[in-house]
Amino acid sequence: MKKVYFSLLLSFAITTIFAQIPDGYYDSATGTGATLKTQLYNIIKSHNTISYGDLWELYKFSDVDNYYEHDGTVLDIYS
């Protein structure tokens, strides 16, 4: 049971470290109501959409092993 809790804590810590909002990302989101909604829309309107079928091409760049064995292979994305 301790291993399960440790794994959950470790997963949360890693997610917290790597999934941070960039500095200043929401600086323009001020106000309330319709004004706030418009400002949030303006922040996210230029995002890039990737379809499920395109993920395999993305993995060749986003999940390349540059940290462990430095061999350029794709890291295990299912673990």
Side-chain angles (χ1 to χ4, degrees):
M1 191 64 159
K2 289 181 182 181
K3 289 182 181 181
V4 171
Y5 287 132
F6 178 74
S7 296
L8 289 173
L9 179 64
L10 183 61
S11 297
F12 177 75
I14 290 172
T15 302
T16 303
I17 292 169
F18 291 109
Q20 296 299 312
I21 300 168
D23 290 335
Y25 188 76
Y26 286 114
D27 285 353
S28 63
T30 58
T32 59
T35 303
L36 178 59
K37 182 180 174 183
T38 301
Q39 291 167 342
L40 290 172
Y41 169 76
N42 288 332
I43 290 170
I44 66 168
K45 70 181 176 184
S46 63
H47 75 282
N48 294 326
T49 302
I50 299 172
S51 71
Y52 184 77
D54 293 334
L55 287 177
W56 289 105
E57 288 300 314
L58 176 66
Y59 293 149
K60 293 177 184 177
F61 303 101
S62 66
D63 291 37
V64 174
D65 181 4
N66 293 321
Y67 304 104
Y68 301 106
E69 296 170 354
H70 305 283
D71 61 357
T73 58
V74 176
L75 294 171
D76 181 8
I77 58 176
Y78 292 108
S79 294

